[in-house]
Amino acid sequence: MQTRSALQRPSMTESKGQTYITLEQVREACIALLTQGRRVGPVNVRLQLGNRGSYATITRHLRTLGFAAPSPRGSKKEGVTQADGSRQLPR
């Protein structure tokens, strides 16, 4: 087993023995889901990736790729924006 010297930085997708889901991996999972005729969403992407990655990271990558609605945080309007663009008012 190789040891990492104190001066070497871990790769962008590895830290403390954990590997992180990259934008490219999410893109490939989305393409696979679309090819299979399945819905692209965080749950299906995570399943396609072998149950790897956090939902927060996957959702962030989906937003970057344009597969998820922008985060409603910081929005001045009340309610939550749905994937189809409609708004759901808080209860």
Side-chain angles (χ1 to χ4, degrees), residues 72-91:
R73 289 186 187 181
S75 174
K76 300 289 183 192
K77 297 180 182 177
E78 291 184 358
V80 177
T81 303
Q82 302 298 309
D84 64 358
S86 64
R87 299 201 45 89
Q88 178 181 355
L89 296 177
R91 293 181 181 178

Side-chain angles (χ1 to χ4, degrees), residues 14 18 23 36:
E14 181 182 331
Q18 298 175 343
L23 181 65
Q36 297 167 15

Side-chain angles (χ1 to χ4, degrees), residues 23-42 44-46 48-49 58 61-63 65-68:
L23 181 65
E24 188 57 36
Q25 289 172 318
V26 172
R27 181 190 327 264
E28 290 172 6
C30 290
I31 291 169
L33 289 169
L34 291 171
T35 304
Q36 297 167 15
R38 295 170 56 199
R39 187 177 82 71
V40 174
N44 283 345
V45 168
R46 190 167 190 273
Q48 186 68 30
L49 293 170
I58 292 169
H61 289 326
L62 288 174
R63 284 189 184 117
L65 295 169
F67 283 104

